[in-house]
Amino acid sequence: MPDARRTDAVLLLVALVWGSSYLSAQTAAAALPVLVVLFARYALSALACLGLVAAARRGPHGRTRGWTREEIRAGVPLGVTQAAVLLIETYGVAHTSAANAGLIISLTIVLTPLLDRSGHRGGLPPVFFAAAGVCVLAVGLLMAGNGFHALRLGDLLMLGAAVVRAAHVVLVGRLTAGRTIRPLQLTAVQTLVGSALFLAPAARDLPDLAHVGLAAWAQLLYLALFCSVFAFLAQTWAVQRTSASRASLLLGTEPIWAAAVGIGLAGEHFTVLTALGAALMVTGTYWGQAVERAHRSTAPRAKGPKIPHHTEENPACPPGPAHRSRASEQAIPGGPRDRSG
């Protein structure tokens, strides 16, 4: 397979894995308390990241440093905000459909530029707000479900998760811009912080882990090792071999995969309203992403720190650490996991 197609295939695989994470989180939360699910995801991700860091230090190219002060200083606050994203996301996906969760969280794409004022002078063009309006309409249709009276708590929580995730992405850019911070080491710090934060709240129910079946453990391992560690490393490898625009486009298919997995594997059904909302959400996010990217490339740059093309994404994704971190894992600005987790 040519290099370009192999890179595209890897990015699509990352988007597919992230899209499927919502159903996995929903399934795990049905078998275990949400706080136990979060602690297990973080702890498993942390063990994997620490193993990779240790392997890198003993690699054939000589020893590398463990962690720098900058990586720890950035990783601790980012670990806290990342944990907040995953907490809201996991509670949200437990009370809505996996398809809706994946579609609503993609609002991060248009919310992030609204919160980030460090990249350029002046405001965003009016057409961007038109795209954001399409997304807001889409959220209303998705929340309506089978009727405009049927607002679900999970949809509202996923909307809140999108706002918090956008703030997390902006913070990632501010804390990592102009600094030599290695993604794997930063992700390891974030997963350790998340493990520490959820240990005490989940401690009372941790014995439940010994009584769940293999299916629940498979979901936890999938969330930690595939949605977090694998997706993070695969994305990092791929974005170094293609353009930011192409990577962002391919990773932007995540909500489509989330809807496909929810319908195909969980038997979720789209009404006319939710189908229309899904179409508008994908259209609005792609439109807003394209407008923001074009504006960022032509507008005069501000003197403040510049958001790097690749920011750390969430490794405990469902959404969003090793999280989408979307967060965090190397995310593309404007992409759904500009989230990162």
PDB file of all heavy atoms in Angstrom, residues 5-26:
ATOM      1  N   ARG A   5      -1.815   6.338   1.231  1.00  0.00           N
ATOM      2  CA  ARG A   5      -3.031   5.576   1.524  1.00  0.00           C
ATOM      3  C   ARG A   5      -2.929   4.872   2.876  1.00  0.00           C
ATOM      4  O   ARG A   5      -3.924   4.734   3.588  1.00  0.00           O
ATOM      5  CB  ARG A   5      -3.288   4.558   0.410  1.00  0.00           C
ATOM      6  CG  ARG A   5      -3.700   5.212  -0.894  1.00  0.00           C
ATOM      7  CD  ARG A   5      -4.216   4.197  -1.891  1.00  0.00           C
ATOM      8  NE  ARG A   5      -4.658   4.829  -3.112  1.00  0.00           N
ATOM      9  CZ  ARG A   5      -5.218   4.167  -4.136  1.00  0.00           C
ATOM     10  NH1 ARG A   5      -5.381   2.852  -4.041  1.00  0.00           N
ATOM     11  NH2 ARG A   5      -5.595   4.811  -5.210  1.00  0.00           N
ATOM     12  N   ARG A   6      -1.730   4.420   3.215  1.00  0.00           N
ATOM     13  CA  ARG A   6      -1.556   3.787   4.519  1.00  0.00           C
ATOM     14  C   ARG A   6      -1.812   4.792   5.637  1.00  0.00           C
ATOM     15  O   ARG A   6      -2.458   4.476   6.636  1.00  0.00           O
ATOM     16  CB  ARG A   6      -0.151   3.199   4.627  1.00  0.00           C
ATOM     17  CG  ARG A   6       0.095   2.480   5.949  1.00  0.00           C
ATOM     18  CD  ARG A   6       1.336   1.608   5.915  1.00  0.00           C
ATOM     19  NE  ARG A   6       2.528   2.347   5.534  1.00  0.00           N
ATOM     20  CZ  ARG A   6       3.205   2.146   4.409  1.00  0.00           C
ATOM     21  NH1 ARG A   6       2.780   1.233   3.533  1.00  0.00           N
ATOM     22  NH2 ARG A   6       4.282   2.845   4.134  1.00  0.00           N
ATOM     23  N   THR A   7      -1.335   6.007   5.457  1.00  0.00           N
ATOM     24  CA  THR A   7      -1.570   7.055   6.459  1.00  0.00           C
ATOM     25  C   THR A   7      -3.052   7.376   6.569  1.00  0.00           C
ATOM     26  O   THR A   7      -3.593   7.512   7.673  1.00  0.00           O
ATOM     27  CB  THR A   7      -0.789   8.325   6.078  1.00  0.00           C
ATOM     28  OG1 THR A   7       0.605   8.005   5.994  1.00  0.00           O
ATOM     29  CG2 THR A   7      -0.984   9.416   7.122  1.00  0.00           C
ATOM     30  N   ASP A   8      -3.740   7.493   5.423  1.00  0.00           N
ATOM     31  CA  ASP A   8      -5.176   7.745   5.443  1.00  0.00           C
ATOM     32  C   ASP A   8      -5.912   6.612   6.155  1.00  0.00           C
ATOM     33  O   ASP A   8      -6.851   6.854   6.926  1.00  0.00           O
ATOM     34  CB  ASP A   8      -5.710   7.891   4.021  1.00  0.00           C
ATOM     35  CG  ASP A   8      -5.273   9.193   3.361  1.00  0.00           C
ATOM     36  OD1 ASP A   8      -4.709  10.056   4.070  1.00  0.00           O
ATOM     37  OD2 ASP A   8      -5.490   9.346   2.148  1.00  0.00           O
ATOM     38  N   ALA A   9      -5.494   5.390   5.895  1.00  0.00           N
ATOM     39  CA  ALA A   9      -6.159   4.234   6.514  1.00  0.00           C
ATOM     40  C   ALA A   9      -5.995   4.266   8.038  1.00  0.00           C
ATOM     41  O   ALA A   9      -6.931   3.948   8.782  1.00  0.00           O
ATOM     42  CB  ALA A   9      -5.596   2.933   5.946  1.00  0.00           C
ATOM     43  N   VAL A  10      -4.806   4.656   8.496  1.00  0.00           N
ATOM     44  CA  VAL A  10      -4.565   4.725   9.941  1.00  0.00           C
ATOM     45  C   VAL A  10      -5.438   5.802  10.569  1.00  0.00           C
ATOM     46  O   VAL A  10      -6.037   5.601  11.636  1.00  0.00           O
ATOM     47  CB  VAL A  10      -3.074   4.988  10.218  1.00  0.00           C
ATOM     48  CG1 VAL A  10      -2.842   5.339  11.690  1.00  0.00           C
ATOM     49  CG2 VAL A  10      -2.246   3.773   9.841  1.00  0.00           C
ATOM     50  N   LEU A  11      -5.551   6.960   9.925  1.00  0.00           N
ATOM     51  CA  LEU A  11      -6.385   8.044  10.469  1.00  0.00           C
ATOM     52  C   LEU A  11      -7.863   7.649  10.494  1.00  0.00           C
ATOM     53  O   LEU A  11      -8.580   7.957  11.457  1.00  0.00           O
ATOM     54  CB  LEU A  11      -6.185   9.312   9.641  1.00  0.00           C
ATOM     55  CG  LEU A  11      -4.844  10.029   9.849  1.00  0.00           C
ATOM     56  CD1 LEU A  11      -4.645  11.087   8.785  1.00  0.00           C
ATOM     57  CD2 LEU A  11      -4.764  10.638  11.236  1.00  0.00           C
ATOM     58  N   LEU A  12      -8.315   6.969   9.469  1.00  0.00           N
ATOM     59  CA  LEU A  12      -9.700   6.498   9.468  1.00  0.00           C
ATOM     60  C   LEU A  12      -9.926   5.456  10.562  1.00  0.00           C
ATOM     61  O   LEU A  12     -10.995   5.410  11.186  1.00  0.00           O
ATOM     62  CB  LEU A  12     -10.058   5.919   8.094  1.00  0.00           C
ATOM     63  CG  LEU A  12     -10.371   6.933   6.991  1.00  0.00           C
ATOM     64  CD1 LEU A  12     -10.560   6.225   5.658  1.00  0.00           C
ATOM     65  CD2 LEU A  12     -11.612   7.744   7.342  1.00  0.00           C
ATOM     66  N   LEU A  13      -8.920   4.619  10.800  1.00  0.00           N
ATOM     67  CA  LEU A  13      -9.032   3.631  11.872  1.00  0.00           C
ATOM     68  C   LEU A  13      -9.123   4.316  13.228  1.00  0.00           C
ATOM     69  O   LEU A  13      -9.901   3.905  14.095  1.00  0.00           O
ATOM     70  CB  LEU A  13      -7.831   2.685  11.831  1.00  0.00           C
ATOM     71  CG  LEU A  13      -7.809   1.573  12.894  1.00  0.00           C
ATOM     72  CD1 LEU A  13      -9.057   0.707  12.779  1.00  0.00           C
ATOM     73  CD2 LEU A  13      -6.546   0.727  12.759  1.00  0.00           C
ATOM     74  N   VAL A  14      -8.342   5.376  13.415  1.00  0.00           N
ATOM     75  CA  VAL A  14      -8.420   6.142  14.670  1.00  0.00           C
ATOM     76  C   VAL A  14      -9.817   6.738  14.830  1.00  0.00           C
ATOM     77  O   VAL A  14     -10.419   6.671  15.915  1.00  0.00           O
ATOM     78  CB  VAL A  14      -7.350   7.246  14.693  1.00  0.00           C
ATOM     79  CG1 VAL A  14      -7.568   8.182  15.885  1.00  0.00           C
ATOM     80  CG2 VAL A  14      -5.952   6.634  14.760  1.00  0.00           C
ATOM     81  N   ALA A  15     -10.357   7.322  13.759  1.00  0.00           N
ATOM     82  CA  ALA A  15     -11.699   7.901  13.830  1.00  0.00           C
ATOM     83  C   ALA A  15     -12.743   6.824  14.147  1.00  0.00           C
ATOM     84  O   ALA A  15     -13.676   7.047  14.927  1.00  0.00           O
ATOM     85  CB  ALA A  15     -12.041   8.591  12.513  1.00  0.00           C
ATOM     86  N   LEU A  16     -12.585   5.634  13.549  1.00  0.00           N
ATOM     87  CA  LEU A  16     -13.509   4.535  13.813  1.00  0.00           C
ATOM     88  C   LEU A  16     -13.434   4.085  15.270  1.00  0.00           C
ATOM     89  O   LEU A  16     -14.464   3.878  15.929  1.00  0.00           O
ATOM     90  CB  LEU A  16     -13.194   3.368  12.880  1.00  0.00           C
ATOM     91  CG  LEU A  16     -13.937   2.053  13.148  1.00  0.00           C
ATOM     92  CD1 LEU A  16     -15.446   2.262  13.082  1.00  0.00           C
ATOM     93  CD2 LEU A  16     -13.495   0.990  12.158  1.00  0.00           C
ATOM     94  N   VAL A  17     -12.203   3.956  15.779  1.00  0.00           N
ATOM     95  CA  VAL A  17     -12.027   3.527  17.168  1.00  0.00           C
ATOM     96  C   VAL A  17     -12.645   4.549  18.109  1.00  0.00           C
ATOM     97  O   VAL A  17     -13.364   4.194  19.057  1.00  0.00           O
ATOM     98  CB  VAL A  17     -10.528   3.327  17.473  1.00  0.00           C
ATOM     99  CG1 VAL A  17     -10.284   3.197  18.971  1.00  0.00           C
ATOM    100  CG2 VAL A  17     -10.013   2.082  16.754  1.00  0.00           C
ATOM    101  N   TRP A  18     -12.392   5.836  17.866  1.00  0.00           N
ATOM    102  CA  TRP A  18     -12.969   6.870  18.718  1.00  0.00           C
ATOM    103  C   TRP A  18     -14.501   6.886  18.602  1.00  0.00           C
ATOM    104  O   TRP A  18     -15.202   7.073  19.591  1.00  0.00           O
ATOM    105  CB  TRP A  18     -12.402   8.231  18.352  1.00  0.00           C
ATOM    106  CG  TRP A  18     -11.083   8.486  19.013  1.00  0.00           C
ATOM    107  CD1 TRP A  18     -10.595   7.895  20.135  1.00  0.00           C
ATOM    108  CD2 TRP A  18     -10.089   9.416  18.597  1.00  0.00           C
ATOM    109  NE1 TRP A  18      -9.353   8.387  20.439  1.00  0.00           N
ATOM    110  CE2 TRP A  18      -9.016   9.322  19.515  1.00  0.00           C
ATOM    111  CE3 TRP A  18      -9.985  10.305  17.536  1.00  0.00           C
ATOM    112  CZ2 TRP A  18      -7.869  10.094  19.407  1.00  0.00           C
ATOM    113  CZ3 TRP A  18      -8.839  11.076  17.422  1.00  0.00           C
ATOM    114  CH2 TRP A  18      -7.790  10.969  18.361  1.00  0.00           C
ATOM    115  N   GLY A  19     -15.019   6.703  17.390  1.00  0.00           N
ATOM    116  CA  GLY A  19     -16.462   6.679  17.228  1.00  0.00           C
ATOM    117  C   GLY A  19     -17.109   5.523  17.974  1.00  0.00           C
ATOM    118  O   GLY A  19     -18.196   5.663  18.540  1.00  0.00           O
ATOM    119  N   SER A  20     -16.436   4.378  18.010  1.00  0.00           N
ATOM    120  CA  SER A  20     -16.979   3.214  18.716  1.00  0.00           C
ATOM    121  C   SER A  20     -16.849   3.336  20.227  1.00  0.00           C
ATOM    122  O   SER A  20     -17.485   2.576  20.965  1.00  0.00           O
ATOM    123  CB  SER A  20     -16.264   1.945  18.248  1.00  0.00           C
ATOM    124  OG  SER A  20     -14.896   1.955  18.645  1.00  0.00           O
ATOM    125  N   SER A  21     -16.035   4.278  20.704  1.00  0.00           N
ATOM    126  CA  SER A  21     -15.793   4.394  22.141  1.00  0.00           C
ATOM    127  C   SER A  21     -17.059   4.762  22.913  1.00  0.00           C
ATOM    128  O   SER A  21     -17.201   4.421  24.085  1.00  0.00           O
ATOM    129  CB  SER A  21     -14.698   5.428  22.408  1.00  0.00           C
ATOM    130  OG  SER A  21     -15.135   6.732  22.085  1.00  0.00           O
ATOM    131  N   TYR A  22     -17.996   5.465  22.269  1.00  0.00           N
ATOM    132  CA  TYR A  22     -19.206   5.873  22.969  1.00  0.00           C
ATOM    133  C   TYR A  22     -20.064   4.668  23.339  1.00  0.00           C
ATOM    134  O   TYR A  22     -20.595   4.583  24.446  1.00  0.00           O
ATOM    135  CB  TYR A  22     -19.995   6.870  22.122  1.00  0.00           C
ATOM    136  CG  TYR A  22     -19.205   8.105  21.816  1.00  0.00           C
ATOM    137  CD1 TYR A  22     -18.495   8.232  20.633  1.00  0.00           C
ATOM    138  CD2 TYR A  22     -19.125   9.139  22.738  1.00  0.00           C
ATOM    139  CE1 TYR A  22     -17.734   9.360  20.366  1.00  0.00           C
ATOM    140  CE2 TYR A  22     -18.372  10.275  22.483  1.00  0.00           C
ATOM    141  CZ  TYR A  22     -17.675  10.369  21.301  1.00  0.00           C
ATOM    142  OH  TYR A  22     -16.916  11.478  21.041  1.00  0.00           O
ATOM    143  N   LEU A  23     -20.185   3.716  22.421  1.00  0.00           N
ATOM    144  CA  LEU A  23     -20.944   2.508  22.720  1.00  0.00           C
ATOM    145  C   LEU A  23     -20.221   1.677  23.773  1.00  0.00           C
ATOM    146  O   LEU A  23     -20.862   1.108  24.673  1.00  0.00           O
ATOM    147  CB  LEU A  23     -21.157   1.683  21.443  1.00  0.00           C
ATOM    148  CG  LEU A  23     -21.929   0.381  21.623  1.00  0.00           C
ATOM    149  CD1 LEU A  23     -23.311   0.639  22.209  1.00  0.00           C
ATOM    150  CD2 LEU A  23     -22.036  -0.366  20.285  1.00  0.00           C
ATOM    151  N   SER A  24     -18.895   1.606  23.705  1.00  0.00           N
ATOM    152  CA  SER A  24     -18.135   0.856  24.704  1.00  0.00           C
ATOM    153  C   SER A  24     -18.300   1.474  26.086  1.00  0.00           C
ATOM    154  O   SER A  24     -18.472   0.764  27.082  1.00  0.00           O
ATOM    155  CB  SER A  24     -16.646   0.820  24.317  1.00  0.00           C
ATOM    156  OG  SER A  24     -16.455   0.072  23.139  1.00  0.00           O
ATOM    157  N   ALA A  25     -18.234   2.800  26.168  1.00  0.00           N
ATOM    158  CA  ALA A  25     -18.421   3.477  27.452  1.00  0.00           C
ATOM    159  C   ALA A  25     -19.829   3.248  27.984  1.00  0.00           C
ATOM    160  O   ALA A  25     -20.032   3.043  29.188  1.00  0.00           O
ATOM    161  CB  ALA A  25     -18.140   4.968  27.304  1.00  0.00           C
ATOM    162  N   GLN A  26     -20.796   3.278  27.094  1.00  0.00           N
ATOM    163  CA  GLN A  26     -22.187   3.048  27.502  1.00  0.00           C
ATOM    164  C   GLN A  26     -22.361   1.632  28.038  1.00  0.00           C
ATOM    165  O   GLN A  26     -23.016   1.418  29.075  1.00  0.00           O
ATOM    166  CB  GLN A  26     -23.104   3.273  26.298  1.00  0.00           C
ATOM    167  CG  GLN A  26     -24.581   3.240  26.608  1.00  0.00           C
ATOM    168  CD  GLN A  26     -25.404   3.449  25.351  1.00  0.00           C
ATOM    169  OE1 GLN A  26     -25.361   2.626  24.426  1.00  0.00           O
ATOM    170  NE2 GLN A  26     -26.135   4.548  25.293  1.00  0.00           N
TER     171      GLN A  26
END
